[in-house]
Amino acid sequence: MLAFTLHSSSHPLNSRFSPNYYEKSCPAAEQIVKSVVEKAVSRETRMAASLLRLQFHDCFVQGCDASILLDDSANIVSEKQSNPNKNSARGFDVLDQIKSELEKACPRTVSCADILVIAARDSVALSGGPYWEVALGRRDSTSASLSGSNNNIPAPNSTLQTLIARFKRQGLDEVDLVALSGAHTIGQSRCTSFRQRLYNQSGNGKPDYTLDKSYYGQLKSACPKSGGDNNLSPLDAVTPTKFDNYYFKHLVSGRGLLNSDEELFAKGKGKTIETVKLYAADEAAFIQQFVKSMIKMANISPLTGTQGQIRTNCRSV
């Protein structure tokens, strides 16, 4: 495991953030999160990718405010029902467990937004990836945005143009886009997310011409033309549970699983192609930028000070 101590100053509210935010009010906070995440990942390796993904899906909607964790209620239309999240986002029960342990240790102290950021970092480290210091002090939203979730989170069939635009909307550039897409070095995807590439990529009943032929054959057996929507395929077929740079090696050889993966290279412009090639050749360069980009993403429009609240149950205001 690689340890990094990178600090981000990319957000004006950053001065209120600190890795030691809970030092006095809840000194065991990070240890409690880690121990629950460790148990969850040892029960099911895929959970690491699921928890990491929740941070993306949270931060891209109203900022990193745990809005994704809110269930439907009289005043809330849950983001869990959005196209990117429905039957797809998972790991909510692990966050419930973390919150319940934290409430026992330090009631009304640690925000769900901070829990998401710590759990994502720990998931990467437990998968053999880097460990970095996370700045804490976010507060939780009192609202959710179903439309924000539908409009801001890129779909698996996104074009490069859409990916760049949606990341730019969050203050993230093309290098951040490529580095953060490298999160797909772990985890799995449902057949429904890549079926179009196998059977009808451009509306002409033909597969995506950028797909490697033998990989195409493997995917067809895992993902039929109809039925099997929830059949899973690994995003990185060689080291599916290890956080490394194989994801980028696959892109270079036409073996990216999702359209949004392969677009970075096959349809890429100068910057994205160069960056994919760099990370395929140099794992350390990928890891270092991934950490920087995760810190930058965790700083998207946080609630601080007296904004928002500290939820006692992450599912409800």
Side-chain angles (χ1 to χ4, degrees), residues 112-173:
C112 302
D114 277 344
I115 293 171
L116 277 168
V117 171
I118 301 167
R121 184 269 316 271
D122 289 349
S123 295
V124 170
L126 287 166
S127 307
Y131 179 94
W132 63 96
E133 211 172 56
V134 290
L136 303 168
R138 294 163 196 78
R139 288 170 63 86
D140 299 325
S141 71
T142 53
S143 66
S145 175
L146 181 67
S147 63
S149 187
N150 279 322
N151 296 326
N152 291 349
I153 298 168
N157 62 352
S158 294
T159 61
L160 182 64
Q161 206 177 349
T162 302
L163 291 167
I164 291 172
R166 295 209 173 175
F167 272 69
K168 192 175 179 184
R169 198 183 285 171
Q170 306 299 335
L172 299 168
D173 60 25

Side-chain angles (χ1 to χ4, degrees), residues 86-276:
K86 198 172 187 173
N87 301 325
S88 176
R90 58 199 295 280
F92 299 112
D93 47 340
V94 177
L95 290 155
D96 289 340
Q97 205 186 338
I98 293 170
K99 185 60 175 165
S100 143
E101 296 292 324
L102 284 167
E103 285 302 310
K104 280 182 220 160
C106 351
R108 294 175 182 269
T109 304
V110 182
S111 69
C112 302
D114 277 344
I115 293 171
L116 277 168
V117 171
I118 301 167
R121 184 269 316 271
D122 289 349
S123 295
V124 170
L126 287 166
S127 307
Y131 179 94
W132 63 96
E133 211 172 56
V134 290
L136 303 168
R138 294 163 196 78
R139 288 170 63 86
D140 299 325
S141 71
T142 53
S143 66
S145 175
L146 181 67
S147 63
S149 187
N150 279 322
N151 296 326
N152 291 349
I153 298 168
N157 62 352
S158 294
T159 61
L160 182 64
Q161 206 177 349
T162 302
L163 291 167
I164 291 172
R166 295 209 173 175
F167 272 69
K168 192 175 179 184
R169 198 183 285 171
Q170 306 299 335
L172 299 168
D173 60 25
E174 287 175 47
V175 172
D176 297 315
L177 163 63
V178 176
L180 291 170
S181 296
H184 286 175
T185 175
I186 55 173
Q188 306 194 54
S189 185
R190 296 184 307 145
C191 163
T192 175
S193 298
F194 57 87
R195 178 182 279 132
Q196 174 189 335
R197 294 190 74 201
L198 305 181
Y199 303 103
N200 192 21
Q201 175 69 342
S202 311
N204 59 3
K206 294 196 172 125
D208 182 348
Y209 71 89
T210 66
L211 268 170
D212 170 78
K213 293 285 182 289
S214 72
Y215 185 51
Y216 167 64
Q218 287 168 33
L219 291 179
K220 275 179 77 176
S221 64
C223 181
K225 202 164 189 174
S226 62
D229 281 9
N230 294 323
N231 293 2
L232 295 171
S233 289
L235 288 151
D236 164 358
V238 175
T239 55
T241 59
K242 185 173 187 298
F243 199 95
D244 56 22
N245 68 333
Y246 262 95
Y247 166 80
F248 297 103
K249 294 179 182 184
H250 296 318
L251 298 190
V252 173
S253 58
R255 298 170 76 92
L257 181 63
L258 304 177
N259 189 70
S260 57
D261 293 324
E262 200 55 60
E263 284 270 316
L264 300 173
F265 185 75
K267 314 278 172 60
K269 296 187 295 212
K271 193 71 183 166
T272 59
I273 290 182
E274 277 165 38
T275 311
V276 169

Side-chain angles (χ1 to χ4, degrees), residues 291-311:
V291 170
K292 284 183 184 165
S293 297
M294 283 294 285
I295 290 171
K296 196 169 165 184
M297 181 173 68
N299 267 340
I300 298 172
S301 311
L303 300 172
T304 58
T306 55
Q307 299 170 305
Q309 61 176 202
I310 305 293
R311 293 183 211 143

